[in-house]
Amino acid sequence: GTYFAEDIAKNDQYCTPDQRYGDAPALHKMLYDATGLTHPGQVYYVFVCRVLLGHEIRTKDGSTVLDEAAAGGRAKSIWSSQSRELACVEGSNPPVLHHSLVVELGAKLLRFREFIVYHGDRIYPEYLVAYQRV
């Protein structure tokens, strides 16, 4: 899946620096050559995307559903199979898999919720932001 966050600080945790001009020729051609700007060194990039979550399933631990329990009060799995597909939307007929996973703060995350989408057709990269840490 593709991971998203609601706070840019979460994304920044996963960014690596673009240290010098020429390391990413296609990107540099568009960002620097075409605009006349000079690569300043130590640049980080992050996409700002529009993401369609659809009918999401929520979890805190990455394995059980936050909002509902299985029969007998057991924790219900977020997965429908060993192939790691999300569980079906309760009551859907024909069965429809959840479209995305929302990992809430708690067991696995201490800061910033995560959103995971498993199909690229639900993601629209709108902006590429280039920045430097200060």
Side-chain angles (χ1 to χ4, degrees), residues 33-54:
D33 296 347
T35 62
L37 296 172
T38 303
H39 187 289
Q42 295 296 322
V43 180
Y44 296 83
Y45 305 100
V46 66
F47 280 107
V48 176
C49 301
R50 292 182 192 221
V51 180
L52 182 63
L53 295 178

PDB file of all heavy atoms in Angstrom, residues 33-54:
ATOM      1  N   ASP A  33      16.586  23.190 -14.222  1.00  0.00           N
ATOM      2  CA  ASP A  33      16.955  23.638 -15.567  1.00  0.00           C
ATOM      3  C   ASP A  33      15.825  24.438 -16.209  1.00  0.00           C
ATOM      4  O   ASP A  33      16.060  25.498 -16.793  1.00  0.00           O
ATOM      5  CB  ASP A  33      17.314  22.448 -16.459  1.00  0.00           C
ATOM      6  CG  ASP A  33      18.558  21.702 -15.973  1.00  0.00           C
ATOM      7  OD1 ASP A  33      19.271  22.235 -15.109  1.00  0.00           O
ATOM      8  OD2 ASP A  33      18.788  20.572 -16.461  1.00  0.00           O
ATOM      9  N   ALA A  34      14.606  23.938 -16.126  1.00  0.00           N
ATOM     10  CA  ALA A  34      13.466  24.584 -16.789  1.00  0.00           C
ATOM     11  C   ALA A  34      13.067  25.899 -16.122  1.00  0.00           C
ATOM     12  O   ALA A  34      12.426  26.741 -16.750  1.00  0.00           O
ATOM     13  CB  ALA A  34      12.272  23.635 -16.814  1.00  0.00           C
ATOM     14  N   THR A  35      13.434  26.091 -14.861  1.00  0.00           N
ATOM     15  CA  THR A  35      13.018  27.296 -14.134  1.00  0.00           C
ATOM     16  C   THR A  35      14.146  28.299 -13.933  1.00  0.00           C
ATOM     17  O   THR A  35      13.896  29.428 -13.504  1.00  0.00           O
ATOM     18  CB  THR A  35      12.467  26.918 -12.746  1.00  0.00           C
ATOM     19  OG1 THR A  35      13.508  26.296 -11.989  1.00  0.00           O
ATOM     20  CG2 THR A  35      11.263  25.992 -12.864  1.00  0.00           C
ATOM     21  N   GLY A  36      15.375  27.872 -14.209  1.00  0.00           N
ATOM     22  CA  GLY A  36      16.513  28.754 -14.003  1.00  0.00           C
ATOM     23  C   GLY A  36      16.969  28.843 -12.554  1.00  0.00           C
ATOM     24  O   GLY A  36      17.853  29.630 -12.222  1.00  0.00           O
ATOM     25  N   LEU A  37      16.375  28.020 -11.687  1.00  0.00           N
ATOM     26  CA  LEU A  37      16.776  28.009 -10.280  1.00  0.00           C
ATOM     27  C   LEU A  37      18.041  27.175 -10.102  1.00  0.00           C
ATOM     28  O   LEU A  37      18.321  26.296 -10.902  1.00  0.00           O
ATOM     29  CB  LEU A  37      15.662  27.445  -9.416  1.00  0.00           C
ATOM     30  CG  LEU A  37      14.358  28.246  -9.389  1.00  0.00           C
ATOM     31  CD1 LEU A  37      13.280  27.471  -8.645  1.00  0.00           C
ATOM     32  CD2 LEU A  37      14.582  29.605  -8.750  1.00  0.00           C
ATOM     33  N   THR A  38      18.772  27.430  -9.038  1.00  0.00           N
ATOM     34  CA  THR A  38      19.979  26.681  -8.715  1.00  0.00           C
ATOM     35  C   THR A  38      19.666  25.682  -7.606  1.00  0.00           C
ATOM     36  O   THR A  38      19.006  26.030  -6.624  1.00  0.00           O
ATOM     37  CB  THR A  38      21.093  27.642  -8.232  1.00  0.00           C
ATOM     38  OG1 THR A  38      21.325  28.616  -9.245  1.00  0.00           O
ATOM     39  CG2 THR A  38      22.379  26.884  -7.952  1.00  0.00           C
ATOM     40  N   HIS A  39      20.138  24.454  -7.776  1.00  0.00           N
ATOM     41  CA  HIS A  39      19.961  23.433  -6.738  1.00  0.00           C
ATOM     42  C   HIS A  39      20.752  23.870  -5.505  1.00  0.00           C
ATOM     43  O   HIS A  39      21.965  24.027  -5.559  1.00  0.00           O
ATOM     44  CB  HIS A  39      20.461  22.082  -7.250  1.00  0.00           C
ATOM     45  CG  HIS A  39      20.175  20.932  -6.337  1.00  0.00           C
ATOM     46  ND1 HIS A  39      20.815  20.762  -5.133  1.00  0.00           N
ATOM     47  CD2 HIS A  39      19.314  19.898  -6.450  1.00  0.00           C
ATOM     48  CE1 HIS A  39      20.367  19.664  -4.549  1.00  0.00           C
ATOM     49  NE2 HIS A  39      19.452  19.121  -5.331  1.00  0.00           N
ATOM     50  N   PRO A  40      20.075  24.054  -4.352  1.00  0.00           N
ATOM     51  CA  PRO A  40      20.775  24.565  -3.171  1.00  0.00           C
ATOM     52  C   PRO A  40      21.493  23.516  -2.336  1.00  0.00           C
ATOM     53  O   PRO A  40      22.197  23.849  -1.385  1.00  0.00           O
ATOM     54  CB  PRO A  40      19.640  25.201  -2.356  1.00  0.00           C
ATOM     55  CG  PRO A  40      18.452  24.388  -2.716  1.00  0.00           C
ATOM     56  CD  PRO A  40      18.638  23.969  -4.150  1.00  0.00           C
ATOM     57  N   GLY A  41      21.300  22.220  -2.667  1.00  0.00           N
ATOM     58  CA  GLY A  41      21.882  21.155  -1.854  1.00  0.00           C
ATOM     59  C   GLY A  41      20.993  20.836  -0.663  1.00  0.00           C
ATOM     60  O   GLY A  41      20.260  21.698  -0.174  1.00  0.00           O
ATOM     61  N   GLN A  42      21.034  19.595  -0.210  1.00  0.00           N
ATOM     62  CA  GLN A  42      20.236  19.137   0.930  1.00  0.00           C
ATOM     63  C   GLN A  42      18.757  19.523   0.793  1.00  0.00           C
ATOM     64  O   GLN A  42      18.171  20.137   1.685  1.00  0.00           O
ATOM     65  CB  GLN A  42      20.800  19.663   2.242  1.00  0.00           C
ATOM     66  CG  GLN A  42      22.176  19.148   2.586  1.00  0.00           C
ATOM     67  CD  GLN A  42      22.203  17.639   2.821  1.00  0.00           C
ATOM     68  OE1 GLN A  42      21.293  17.077   3.384  1.00  0.00           O
ATOM     69  NE2 GLN A  42      23.266  16.994   2.369  1.00  0.00           N
ATOM     70  N   VAL A  43      18.143  19.140  -0.327  1.00  0.00           N
ATOM     71  CA  VAL A  43      16.731  19.408  -0.571  1.00  0.00           C
ATOM     72  C   VAL A  43      15.943  18.134  -0.298  1.00  0.00           C
ATOM     73  O   VAL A  43      16.383  17.028  -0.637  1.00  0.00           O
ATOM     74  CB  VAL A  43      16.495  19.854  -2.034  1.00  0.00           C
ATOM     75  CG1 VAL A  43      15.019  20.120  -2.286  1.00  0.00           C
ATOM     76  CG2 VAL A  43      17.310  21.085  -2.356  1.00  0.00           C
ATOM     77  N   TYR A  44      14.783  18.293   0.314  1.00  0.00           N
ATOM     78  CA  TYR A  44      13.866  17.184   0.567  1.00  0.00           C
ATOM     79  C   TYR A  44      12.613  17.428  -0.262  1.00  0.00           C
ATOM     80  O   TYR A  44      12.253  18.572  -0.533  1.00  0.00           O
ATOM     81  CB  TYR A  44      13.500  17.109   2.051  1.00  0.00           C
ATOM     82  CG  TYR A  44      14.680  16.816   2.933  1.00  0.00           C
ATOM     83  CD1 TYR A  44      15.536  17.820   3.352  1.00  0.00           C
ATOM     84  CD2 TYR A  44      14.942  15.515   3.351  1.00  0.00           C
ATOM     85  CE1 TYR A  44      16.622  17.556   4.161  1.00  0.00           C
ATOM     86  CE2 TYR A  44      16.029  15.240   4.169  1.00  0.00           C
ATOM     87  CZ  TYR A  44      16.854  16.257   4.561  1.00  0.00           C
ATOM     88  OH  TYR A  44      17.939  15.987   5.365  1.00  0.00           O
ATOM     89  N   TYR A  45      11.958  16.339  -0.656  1.00  0.00           N
ATOM     90  CA  TYR A  45      10.753  16.452  -1.467  1.00  0.00           C
ATOM     91  C   TYR A  45       9.628  15.639  -0.829  1.00  0.00           C
ATOM     92  O   TYR A  45       9.857  14.560  -0.294  1.00  0.00           O
ATOM     93  CB  TYR A  45      10.984  15.906  -2.877  1.00  0.00           C
ATOM     94  CG  TYR A  45      12.139  16.542  -3.595  1.00  0.00           C
ATOM     95  CD1 TYR A  45      13.375  15.898  -3.666  1.00  0.00           C
ATOM     96  CD2 TYR A  45      12.005  17.776  -4.211  1.00  0.00           C
ATOM     97  CE1 TYR A  45      14.441  16.483  -4.336  1.00  0.00           C
ATOM     98  CE2 TYR A  45      13.073  18.364  -4.884  1.00  0.00           C
ATOM     99  CZ  TYR A  45      14.283  17.708  -4.940  1.00  0.00           C
ATOM    100  OH  TYR A  45      15.333  18.286  -5.597  1.00  0.00           O
ATOM    101  N   VAL A  46       8.415  16.161  -0.928  1.00  0.00           N
ATOM    102  CA  VAL A  46       7.239  15.432  -0.476  1.00  0.00           C
ATOM    103  C   VAL A  46       6.083  15.798  -1.406  1.00  0.00           C
ATOM    104  O   VAL A  46       5.966  16.939  -1.855  1.00  0.00           O
ATOM    105  CB  VAL A  46       6.911  15.737   1.005  1.00  0.00           C
ATOM    106  CG1 VAL A  46       6.495  17.170   1.210  1.00  0.00           C
ATOM    107  CG2 VAL A  46       5.867  14.789   1.540  1.00  0.00           C
ATOM    108  N   PHE A  47       5.275  14.803  -1.730  1.00  0.00           N
ATOM    109  CA  PHE A  47       4.076  15.045  -2.521  1.00  0.00           C
ATOM    110  C   PHE A  47       2.926  15.429  -1.607  1.00  0.00           C
ATOM    111  O   PHE A  47       2.742  14.836  -0.539  1.00  0.00           O
ATOM    112  CB  PHE A  47       3.659  13.785  -3.301  1.00  0.00           C
ATOM    113  CG  PHE A  47       4.442  13.566  -4.554  1.00  0.00           C
ATOM    114  CD1 PHE A  47       5.397  12.562  -4.613  1.00  0.00           C
ATOM    115  CD2 PHE A  47       4.220  14.339  -5.677  1.00  0.00           C
ATOM    116  CE1 PHE A  47       6.124  12.345  -5.764  1.00  0.00           C
ATOM    117  CE2 PHE A  47       4.944  14.137  -6.834  1.00  0.00           C
ATOM    118  CZ  PHE A  47       5.892  13.135  -6.882  1.00  0.00           C
ATOM    119  N   VAL A  48       2.143  16.397  -2.026  1.00  0.00           N
ATOM    120  CA  VAL A  48       0.865  16.699  -1.397  1.00  0.00           C
ATOM    121  C   VAL A  48      -0.179  16.102  -2.338  1.00  0.00           C
ATOM    122  O   VAL A  48      -0.222  16.445  -3.520  1.00  0.00           O
ATOM    123  CB  VAL A  48       0.648  18.218  -1.221  1.00  0.00           C
ATOM    124  CG1 VAL A  48      -0.734  18.507  -0.647  1.00  0.00           C
ATOM    125  CG2 VAL A  48       1.739  18.807  -0.350  1.00  0.00           C
ATOM    126  N   CYS A  49      -0.970  15.169  -1.804  1.00  0.00           N
ATOM    127  CA  CYS A  49      -1.891  14.399  -2.644  1.00  0.00           C
ATOM    128  C   CYS A  49      -3.329  14.536  -2.177  1.00  0.00           C
ATOM    129  O   CYS A  49      -3.596  14.707  -0.989  1.00  0.00           O
ATOM    130  CB  CYS A  49      -1.531  12.911  -2.597  1.00  0.00           C
ATOM    131  SG  CYS A  49       0.126  12.536  -3.152  1.00  0.00           S
ATOM    132  N   ARG A  50      -4.225  14.409  -3.123  1.00  0.00           N
ATOM    133  CA  ARG A  50      -5.632  14.191  -2.798  1.00  0.00           C
ATOM    134  C   ARG A  50      -5.805  12.683  -2.792  1.00  0.00           C
ATOM    135  O   ARG A  50      -5.396  12.007  -3.734  1.00  0.00           O
ATOM    136  CB  ARG A  50      -6.549  14.800  -3.845  1.00  0.00           C
ATOM    137  CG  ARG A  50      -6.515  16.292  -3.880  1.00  0.00           C
ATOM    138  CD  ARG A  50      -7.491  16.802  -4.915  1.00  0.00           C
ATOM    139  NE  ARG A  50      -7.268  18.193  -5.163  1.00  0.00           N
ATOM    140  CZ  ARG A  50      -8.239  19.074  -5.316  1.00  0.00           C
ATOM    141  NH1 ARG A  50      -9.494  18.676  -5.272  1.00  0.00           N
ATOM    142  NH2 ARG A  50      -7.964  20.327  -5.541  1.00  0.00           N
ATOM    143  N   VAL A  51      -6.400  12.162  -1.724  1.00  0.00           N
ATOM    144  CA  VAL A  51      -6.526  10.717  -1.573  1.00  0.00           C
ATOM    145  C   VAL A  51      -7.972  10.377  -1.241  1.00  0.00           C
ATOM    146  O   VAL A  51      -8.551  10.938  -0.309  1.00  0.00           O
ATOM    147  CB  VAL A  51      -5.590  10.181  -0.463  1.00  0.00           C
ATOM    148  CG1 VAL A  51      -5.723   8.684  -0.312  1.00  0.00           C
ATOM    149  CG2 VAL A  51      -4.144  10.575  -0.753  1.00  0.00           C
ATOM    150  N   LEU A  52      -8.533   9.470  -1.996  1.00  0.00           N
ATOM    151  CA  LEU A  52      -9.886   8.997  -1.741  1.00  0.00           C
ATOM    152  C   LEU A  52      -9.801   7.769  -0.850  1.00  0.00           C
ATOM    153  O   LEU A  52      -9.306   6.721  -1.269  1.00  0.00           O
ATOM    154  CB  LEU A  52     -10.577   8.661  -3.060  1.00  0.00           C
ATOM    155  CG  LEU A  52     -12.012   8.188  -2.982  1.00  0.00           C
ATOM    156  CD1 LEU A  52     -12.897   9.275  -2.410  1.00  0.00           C
ATOM    157  CD2 LEU A  52     -12.495   7.782  -4.356  1.00  0.00           C
ATOM    158  N   LEU A  53     -10.255   7.905   0.392  1.00  0.00           N
ATOM    159  CA  LEU A  53     -10.192   6.783   1.331  1.00  0.00           C
ATOM    160  C   LEU A  53     -11.355   5.812   1.143  1.00  0.00           C
ATOM    161  O   LEU A  53     -11.237   4.632   1.472  1.00  0.00           O
ATOM    162  CB  LEU A  53     -10.183   7.290   2.777  1.00  0.00           C
ATOM    163  CG  LEU A  53      -8.963   8.099   3.192  1.00  0.00           C
ATOM    164  CD1 LEU A  53      -9.111   8.579   4.627  1.00  0.00           C
ATOM    165  CD2 LEU A  53      -7.693   7.295   3.023  1.00  0.00           C
ATOM    166  N   GLY A  54     -12.486   6.291   0.653  1.00  0.00           N
ATOM    167  CA  GLY A  54     -13.640   5.414   0.477  1.00  0.00           C
ATOM    168  C   GLY A  54     -14.139   4.892   1.817  1.00  0.00           C
ATOM    169  O   GLY A  54     -14.166   5.612   2.810  1.00  0.00           O
TER     170      GLY A  54
END
